[in-house]
Amino acid sequence: MSLRARDTVVRELMDDPDCDSARLAATLRRFDTVNRLWSGWAALYRARLGPFLASLERPARVLDLGSGGGDLVTRLAGLAERDGLDVRWVGADPDARALEVARGRASSRIEFRASDASSLRSAGERFDAVVSNHVLHHLSAFDLAGFAADSRALTDGLVLHSDIRRSRTAYGLYAVGVTPFAPGTFLRTDGLRSIRRSYRAAELEAALGHPWTVRDASPFRVVAEAPGDA
C-alpha cells in the first residue's frame, strides 16, 4: 500500500449510520485517551488558542465543530479554566449518536448542540474562536471548501483546524500504539483509514487556498489556521 497520495475512496466504519452502536460509543469514549496521546492539542492550546483567548481580556465563546464525543472541548475547557480564563464552550455535531456520548460531559461552561457549521452560520451565530479536530480528512473537496468558509464566517477571531498528517511513520506507529486501546472499538481500523485519507501540509494548503496557512505541528499532525471573516 502506498501513502504517496491521499486515498479519497476508503471510508471509516464509524461514518456508516448503520455501524454497531456499542462499538461506536466505545470508540467515542476512548478517543479521550487516544487524542491525548496523538492530537497535540495541549501544545496547540499553549502556543495559539490560550494566548489568543487571554489577549481578549474579556469572557469568550469557542466553538468546536464536529465535536464527536466531546473529549476535545472538555480538555480545552479544563486548560482554559486552569489559566483563569472565562470561556464558554460549544461543541457542535450533527450526529445524534455522538451527542449522546458528548452530553455526559456537559457542564455550566460546556454545551453540546446537534448542528453543523453551515446551520450555525445560517442562524447568525458568532464565536471568538472556532476549532476542529480530525474533521478535514473526512470531507470531499466541495465540502472542505464549504466547511472552511463557514468556519471563518462564524468568527472574527481565530480559526484552528487540526488533523492527521499522512506518513508511513504515522501509519506504522499508530498500528502498533493503538492496539491496547482498540478492542471493542473502531479505533484501529478507522485510525489507519484516517491516515490514508489525510493530507500533508502543502496538499491541504493548496486545497484550502487563501487566507489559510497550514503547517506541520509534529511528525503526525497538520494545523490549518486562518483569521475569521470580519
Side-chain angles (χ1 to χ4, degrees), residues 155-166:
T155 181
D156 56 6
L158 179 67
V159 185
L160 293 169
H161 297 312
S162 180
D163 211 335
I164 305 159
R165 180 183 184 273
R166 187 180 77 256

Side-chain angles (χ1 to χ4, degrees), residues 14-130:
M14 63 187 297
D15 288 339
D16 181 350
D18 296 319
C19 72
D20 183 273
S21 59
R23 289 171 69 89
L24 175 63
T27 302
L28 291 167
R29 292 189 179 96
R30 219 162 292 175
F31 272 150
D32 189 15
T33 301
V34 174
N35 282 334
R36 283 176 183 271
L37 295 173
W38 288 84
S39 72
W41 268 99
L44 189 53
Y45 170 85
R46 289 192 299 269
R48 296 297 293 127
L49 183 59
F52 170 77
L53 295 174
S55 75
L56 298 176
E57 298 184 336
R58 59 169 172 77
R61 294 177 78 220
V62 178
L63 171 66
D64 176 18
L65 288 170
S67 53
D71 61 288
L72 174 62
V73 72
T74 303
R75 188 179 185 199
L76 293 176
L79 293 171
E81 186 171 5
R82 283 196 287 274
D83 285 346
L85 300 177
D86 185 358
V87 185
R88 295 296 186 269
W89 303 83
V90 176
D93 200 299
D95 191 331
R97 304 168 303 171
L99 288 169
E100 185 176 352
V101 174
R103 283 176 172 149
R105 293 180 161 127
S107 70
S108 60
R109 292 183 177 273
I110 303 170
E111 67 170 299
F112 294 98
R113 300 185 190 177
S115 192
D116 58 20
S118 177
S119 299
L120 291 168
R121 180 181 183 180
S122 296
E125 291 275 6
R126 297 288 283 181
F127 299 84
D128 293 294
V130 176

